[in-house]
């Protein structure tokens, strides 16, 4: 961010609950324009906005992102961009048409340990990738069973593990899946296992669950050894530091005889490290007039949502050919 010169000022505020927007304005003595209607927010302040950040509930993303893009505003949206492949494709098409930046935030790709792994892969130290196992299993902090409109862990936390295998192994060709649904008459997925054959013949397994907890690890088997990414589940269990369950912290490199070749322990500086990395990335893109992220590309974003949408059901042992 050395070349980025960012100046900002708070002008206005909108919240889906008008009363809450007023409470925030009063609590912090912000003296802002408080809007009750989102269209008023865009119509009156559009020229003062360079980028809008959307971190609302998953099902609301599509409408908010589309409204921002239609108003010619760059967008940083938390994952998932939408709950539908066709809707996500529509949003990217709209962004491209209006020459706008549209970034979907998936923190995993910004973790220093993940970046180090990508460097090792490019160096061909361990040869080609043969197999990847990636898990994102953590106990639900809310304890609430998602309703049918929110597919729960499969679409939320499961995106991190799916991002990992697709970023490292490339496009999927065939996906097999087995799911457990929550009880109490809901189709929301509780535990999910995807087995993927990638276009380059790498095989991967993706595990997602919000009823068990592991070390949020990824293991990559190469021709000449293997590597393991590890999370910080101790921090997650201690006080739910979100980056500890979204971003790997450690990286271990082994040869085929299980000899440890190298070990990296790349701790986080702050509890919001993932979001800071994402914001820096987006600001760099704005500064350099880049419209598509190298970390979460449009094609990768669409690939993830396509797989999740096609496997968003409770029937077992079906194959999805992409």
């Amino acid at each position: 961010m050395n070349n980025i010169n960012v100046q900002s000022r708070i002008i206005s505020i909108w919240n889906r609950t008008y009363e809450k927007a007023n409470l925030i304005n009063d609590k912090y003595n912000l003296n802002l324009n408080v809007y009750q209607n989102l269209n008023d927010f865009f119509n009156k302040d559009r020229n003062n906005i360079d980028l809008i950040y959307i971190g609302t509930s998953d099902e609301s993303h599509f409408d908010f992102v589309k409204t921002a893009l239609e108003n010619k505003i760059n967008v940083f949206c938390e994952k998932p961009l939408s709950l539908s492949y066709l809707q996500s494709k529509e949003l990217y098409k709209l962004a491209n048409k209006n020459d706008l930046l549209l970034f979907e935030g998936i923190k995993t790709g910004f973790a220093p340990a993940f970046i180090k792994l990508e460097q090792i892969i490019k160096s061909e130290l361990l040869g080609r990738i043969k197999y990847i196992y990636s898990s994102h299993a953590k106990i639900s902090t809310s304890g609430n069973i998602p309703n049918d409109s929110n597919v729960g862990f499969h679409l939320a936390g499961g995106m991190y593990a799916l991002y990992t295998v697709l970023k490292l192994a490339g496009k999927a060709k065939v996906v097999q899946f087995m799911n457990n649904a929550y009880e109490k008459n809901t189709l929301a997925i509780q535990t999910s296992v995807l087995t993927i054959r990638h276009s380059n013949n790498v095989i991967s397994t993706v595990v997602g669950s919000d009823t068990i907890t592991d070390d949020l690890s990824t293991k990559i088997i190469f021709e000449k050894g293997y590597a393991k990414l590890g999370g910080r589940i101790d921090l997650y269990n201690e006080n739910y530091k979100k980056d500890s369950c979204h971003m790997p912290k450690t990286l271990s490199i082994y040869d085929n005889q299980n000899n440890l070749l190298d070990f990296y322990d790349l701790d986080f500086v702050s509890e919001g490290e993932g979001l800071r990395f994402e914001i820096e990335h987006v600001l760099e893109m704005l500064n350099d007039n880049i419209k598509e992220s190298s970390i979460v590309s449009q094609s990768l974003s669409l690939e993830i949502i396509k797989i999740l949408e096609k496997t968003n059901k409770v029937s077992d042992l079906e194959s999805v050919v992409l």
Side-chain angles (χ1 to χ4, degrees), residues 151-162:
V151 295
F153 188 86
H154 180 64
L155 187 57
M159 290 189 70
Y160 296 107
L162 188 53

Side-chain angles (χ1 to χ4, degrees), residues 58-59 80-85 87-88 149-150 155 305 309:
D58 293 352
E59 65 274 10
L81 192 59
S82 79
L83 300 181
S84 155
Y85 171 76
Q87 285 184 339
S88 295
S149 65
N150 183 345
L155 187 57
I305 198 66
E309 185 177 31

Side-chain angles (χ1 to χ4, degrees), residues 167-262:
K167 190 72 162 60
L168 298 180
K171 187 176 176 63
K173 183 166 59 176
V174 177
V175 179
Q176 289 187 322
F177 61 98
M178 289 183 286
N179 298 322
N180 301 135
Y182 282 92
E183 298 178 0
K184 301 184 179 179
N185 301 317
T186 176
L187 294 179
I189 292 170
Q190 180 181 38
T191 299
S192 188
V193 179
L194 308 180
T195 302
I196 301 173
R197 167 78 72 177
H198 297 265
S199 296
N200 58 5
N201 284 326
V202 173
I203 298 172
S204 66
T205 302
V206 179
V207 177
S209 177
D210 58 6
T211 56
I212 63 170
T213 299
D214 65 8
D215 62 353
L216 311 169
S217 64
T218 294
K219 179 179 283 189
I220 307 96
I221 297 177
F222 296 85
E223 293 173 305
K224 304 174 185 177
Y226 64 96
K228 183 178 179 180
L229 288 167
R232 284 295 306 273
I233 200 64
D234 55 329
L235 290 180
Y236 173 78
N237 290 334
E238 178 186 330
N239 62 0
Y240 190 51
K241 293 183 179 178
K242 295 192 72 172
D243 287 343
S244 65
C245 65
H246 297 159
M247 301 168 67
K249 175 182 179 291
T250 62
L251 173 63
S252 306
I253 308 295
Y254 298 86
D255 64 18
N256 281 334
Q257 287 71 47
N258 286 327
N259 297 310
L260 181 64
L261 302 179
D262 219 334

Side-chain angles (χ1 to χ4, degrees), residues 45-104:
D45 278 329
R46 179 170 48 199
N47 294 331
N48 295 315
I49 302 173
D50 296 312
L51 175 82
I52 185 167
Y53 169 76
I54 297 174
T56 55
S57 56
D58 293 352
E59 65 274 10
S60 68
H61 288 178
F62 174 75
D63 289 335
F64 291 149
V65 173
K66 185 176 181 180
T67 300
L69 295 175
E70 288 174 339
N71 281 276
K72 307 295 193 299
I73 298 172
N74 298 299
V75 176
F76 167 9
C77 181
E78 286 289 351
K79 59 83 190 158
L81 192 59
S82 79
L83 300 181
S84 155
Y85 171 76
L86 290 179
Q87 285 184 339
S88 295
K89 194 172 182 179
E90 178 184 345
L91 293 176
Y92 281 120
K93 184 177 180 179
L94 183 58
N96 295 337
K97 176 184 176 182
N98 291 333
D99 195 30
L100 296 169
L101 182 159
L102 174 55
F103 170 73
E104 179 183 28

Side-chain angles (χ1 to χ4, degrees), residues 115-128:
I115 294 171
K116 175 60 71 173
L117 173 63
E118 289 186 301
Q119 293 170 351
I120 290 172
I121 292 172
K122 289 179 181 178
S123 75
E124 300 183 347
L125 172 69
L126 300 176
R128 293 185 298 109

